[in-house]
Amino acid sequence: MTYGQSDMMRVLSGLPTAARELLLETDWDSLQHAYGPAEDIPPSLCSLVDKDPEVRSEALAALDMAVLHQGSLYTVTAPVALFVAAILDHPMGLAAHEGYFPWEGGPPRTLRAALLVWLGQVAESAAYGEVPVADRTRWDWEPWQDATRREHDPDTLAALRACRAIRPTLYEAVEPFLSSPDPHVREAALGAAVPLLSAPGLTDRVPRAAALLRARLGAVKDRRERAGVARALSVWGTDTSDLLADSDPAVRVCAALGPAQADRPRALAVLLDALGDPRTTDGWFPEPLPGLDGWFRFTVLRSALALAESFEEVAPVAVAIVATAGMSITDFERGPILLRAFPGGYDPTRPLASAQRDLLRAFVDTDESTGGITGTSLWFRAAGLPEDRDGIAALL
């Protein structure tokens, strides 16, 4: 559907003031998205609140494809995100959202939930690279990402700074929906709030958000929602010691995922226990929690490796994972384990510790069936180790 002047005026009259001003006062022609000048964006934004569900889904798909293409930020991303935040409480937000892409499955949700999910993706992209230590707990972090952190050209840097600068405004728009009666909206709002409040400049908002979540937690029975709340509280650095004793193991694990734990030994024990039964752990969330992807055990492992003060604390579980041969995954399990065992790189002048030796032996013993060493060569290189079976065997 092509929007003409009459369509634009019709939609404009029903927009909140902030959204209408953004649409009319932004110099869209001077901005860029993934495919060039952003002059075509205003019609897409108006289409987000069109009465036709197909038009709405196509408009949201345009945001995914052009404004936040594969997680990349553009100069148009920040003003679009502000517009989306401004229409979250638009009456059309209650309308059912129909996915545009074939892979958009999952339970039915409203347009409001879909817009909140998109804002969460913007927040995730804006946060990437801001706190390198936090990045290393991501399920998909790789060591060479730090060394090859992209050097931003002026437009990309401007887009990144603009998206980070608007996070307080985005959070103000998102916060009311943390208490929405719609569970899908609550989950989407939480998925946006987690990366927003993880920003260094928004830590002062965490106590209020944590109080809002805590107030609801006692009445919530759904595992997924309780676990999502526990993860948020943990990632924000609040004290989740009480949730480490929750009756639900999924909630206990999510309460242990944060980088700083008041009860670190117990939190680590919870994570390691979950890694001892990865099939069950993966089965807790067939659809990943907002902000996560891949099998849930990948996130649990990264958090355990980050929480451990030494490799020896995680060595029994880590060695067992590597020894499962083809059941473990190079970039998400074997590689991160190897790098944690040699955090400063292998030092040939120092003898291997017992735990390091056990780990390398597990690699050698399973290498013929899995290609565990050659297939993990980039990680071995990052750890300063030989990249072939003979070279590793010679160290043992």
Side-chain angles (χ1 to χ4, degrees), residues 140-217:
D140 57 349
W141 175 83
E142 296 171 328
W144 42 91
Q145 290 177 354
D146 284 346
T148 60
R149 183 80 62 191
R150 62 181 180 271
E151 295 184 4
H152 303 297
D153 61 46
D155 281 349
T156 304
L157 185 58
L160 178 61
R161 288 174 174 168
C163 287
R164 289 178 177 177
I166 65 171
R167 289 182 294 196
T169 302
L170 298 186
Y171 180 71
E172 289 174 6
V174 166
E175 186 186 75
F177 300 104
L178 292 173
S179 303
S180 170
D182 183 336
H184 298 303
V185 169
R186 288 199 304 273
E187 176 173 292
L190 186 58
V194 168
L196 287 171
L197 293 193
S198 297
L202 272 72
T203 54
D204 62 320
R205 314 288 182 95
V206 168
R208 173 180 167 84
L212 285 173
L213 298 182
R214 285 280 189 179
R216 290 192 55 84
L217 195 58

Side-chain angles (χ1 to χ4, degrees), residues 321-396:
I321 290 173
V322 172
T324 56
M327 296 299 292
S328 59
I329 309 298
T330 294
D331 286 335
F332 308 136
E333 293 177 297
R334 294 195 294 268
I337 287 170
L338 181 71
L339 201 66
R340 184 63 185 85
F342 296 89
Y346 168 63
D347 184 352
T349 67
R350 301 179 61 182
L352 293 173
S354 175
Q356 292 172 326
R357 190 177 297 276
D358 290 344
L359 178 65
L360 294 182
R361 173 59 63 187
F363 272 103
V364 169
D365 289 346
T366 60
D367 186 61
E368 289 186 353
S369 60
T370 66
I373 294 176
T374 56
T376 319
S377 61
L378 290 176
W379 292 88
F380 275 88
R381 185 182 307 163
L385 288 159
E387 300 172 34
D388 59 89
R389 188 174 188 271
D390 291 341
I392 295 298
L395 301 179
L396 300 175

Side-chain angles (χ1 to χ4, degrees), residues 92-98 107-115 182 184-185:
M92 195 56 69
L94 297 173
H97 170 65
E98 297 182 3
R109 59 179 178 173
T110 61
L111 173 66
R112 180 172 294 150
L115 293 174
D182 183 336
H184 298 303
V185 169

